Amino acid sequence: MGAAMNPRTPFRGGDLPDVLAGTLMISLGALGLWAGRDLTYGNPAMMGPGFLPASLCTIMALIGGFVLVKGLSKPAESMGALNLRPLVTLVVAIAGFAFSAERFGFVVASAWLLIIGSLADPESRWKEIFISTAVLTSLGALLFVYGLGVQMPVWPF
Amino acid sequence: MSFLDVLMLGFSEALTPTNLLFCFIGALLGTLIGVLPGIGPTATVAILLPVTFFLPPLGALIMLSGIFYGAQYGGSTTAILVNLPGEASAVVTAIDGYQMARKGRAGAALAIAALGSFFAGTVATIALAVAGPTLSSFALSFGPAEYVALCIFGLLAATILAHGSVIKAIGMVCLGLVLGLVGIDVNSGSARLTFESTDLYDGIEFVVIAVGLFGIAEIATNLESTEVRGILQSKIGRLWPTRDEFRQSWGAVLRGTAVGTVLGVLPGGGATLSAFSAYSVEKKVSRTPEKFGHGAIAGVAGPEAANNAGAQSSFIPLLTLGIPSNSIMAMMLGAMTIHGITPGPSVIQNQPGLFWGLVASMWLGNAMLLIINLPLIGLWVKLLQIPYRLMYPAILLFCCVGVFSVSNRGFDVALVIIFGVLGYVLRKAKCEPGPLLLGFVLGPLLETNLRRAMLLSQGDWLVFFERPISAILLAVTALMLLMLVLPAIRKNRKAAFEASED
């Protein structure tokens, strides 16, 4: 609390992780309040379905505001190295799996997931990717679809 | 039933060939992921949760708990040999363990770690067997007001005792509670926070949140930076400790076991906190504190006993009160719910075979770990050389197929993306995902009991202070929060957790 008025960092800086956390909590709280705007709030004796969601979202947004304000006045702290390539690649890989699992079956979904997913690591080599995709897809089909009985077609046709 | 009867019952359940196999698989998997850096027990349990659908309830729980305590053994192996703690709880073991390894005493450090862990695991298992029936019969008298107080105590205490910023952790608890409320409200039948999607009517699957926050987000963070490898101390040396080393470590094992058993029960406690506390205890009671950091065997024995005892005793609140104390226990709660078991005081009475079978399997598992770890140490060391780029695609496949299999729909897999991204952002924002998960599993319990208690009291909030048990729980919670505001304690807490960043 002593660092609230730090003259060395007038506008730039601030504790970036805290700023991010505060912003995130405020926006999620607001999102929750908006999504639950039609729910009955009720009163303490007869709580409506919206009582707890609205109360908790408000508390979360307030906490977010507190963290944000304090974060802005704290001495500068960076977020650490930011490298979005792995995350974006993984999102594309998983989205493809989610889309194709029911439509095109296990083999297509798993091959997409593994080939694209492997690109998330810059150290990956094509030869390794193809071998591991082939091995994991066939083992996966045997284990999950035939062995454990996961309800997913194996082939697209 | 007398103590001997229930023990017999437990062992007859745990000793069936299938359950023995599950116990072995769990212990083996736990050791494996404990050795491999980059994948922790929380992520592994999250990933394997869907697979346990296909197992019998007891077998599933035996395997999942085996992974948890097995990881405590495995984590210490890499901490000692390559100065690379496989688990957060083994961070302190690396301090003196690696120094012992550099002096050629790696074998003795590994043996003391394993033997100490085995002893601690045995004691904590007995504590669970003794405390279980007592606590649960006490909890059977709990009404809605007590449950509300217990939830609040559990959630807030977990944020205080875990490392990281408390206020952010409370925000995460709120977020988790809100996520737990998504879906059709049982009382009124209205759809809550579903964004007009019928797929969300049944609420968000626990597995989706667990895999997203702990599985996918962890892979994304691990891939951001290139791997760091320690230098392998190839010479393990003689395994059996000398008489002098035994003399120096048995006291530490005893103290570590006590510290771990007590701290494991507390919300937010568990293996990591226990290990750190045990290390500072050892340093304080030692007659030669200057030796710590230069290969003191007590600095290995104490924390290793403590992390294993803490791992075991954190099962106590879950199995007796139905309140998980950390994210792994939240996963165990998820696994029990999947099998239609409501964790809580009634489990011991209604399903004694399940409770005592699990307790007995923990002891058997600890014995197996001793055998898995000591003679096979060379094999585990070899595994360290597997690069992460070959490992994570398999983890990714397990995550996606597992989530898909919960309700056989791609929608859940798509939802995992949202929680994966959320988990990544939370890591960047230095928010712990653990409290979120605790809030998520306790959300429905808290809401049901809160509504019931307030209905009974006709809207009078004082009901929570009129009933003695809930009043005490809330008073303790308030006291903890109050103490946190005091500067002296804040400073101590900060120092205690400084080294435990994982």
Side-chain angles (χ1 to χ4, degrees), chain B residues 200-224:
Chain B
L200 280 176
Y201 275 12
D202 287 333
I204 303 170
E205 284 289 345
F206 175 79
V207 175
V208 169
I209 294 200
V211 166
L213 287 182
F214 291 92
I216 306 294
E218 192 163 293
I219 298 179
T221 335
N222 282 339
L223 286 178
E224 268 193 320

Side-chain angles (χ1 to χ4, degrees), chain A residues 71-105:
Chain A
L72 283 172
S73 58
K74 272 191 203 169
E77 194 185 321
S78 85
M79 202 103 74
L82 203 65
N83 174 9
L84 284 176
R85 174 184 154 154
L87 184 71
V88 173
T89 319
L90 288 177
V91 165
V92 174
I94 301 169
F97 182 92
F99 176 78
S100 54
E102 285 162 282
R103 291 176 186 84
F104 305 125

Side-chain angles (χ1 to χ4, degrees), chain B residues 366-388:
Chain B
N366 272 295
M368 285 184 196
L369 280 166
L370 209 53
I371 300 165
I372 294 173
N373 272 273
L374 287 184
L376 294 180
I377 215 102
L379 180 71
W380 300 122
V381 172
K382 281 224 172 61
L383 276 175
L384 267 174
Q385 279 135 21
I386 301 180
Y388 192 64

Side-chain angles (χ1 to χ4, degrees), chain B residues 68-69 120-121 124-125 128 307-316 362 366:
Chain B
F68 181 35
Y69 54 74
T125 306
L128 174 57
N307 73 28
N308 217 50
Q312 304 273 21
S313 71
S314 57
F315 279 89
I316 293 176
M362 287 182 189
N366 272 295

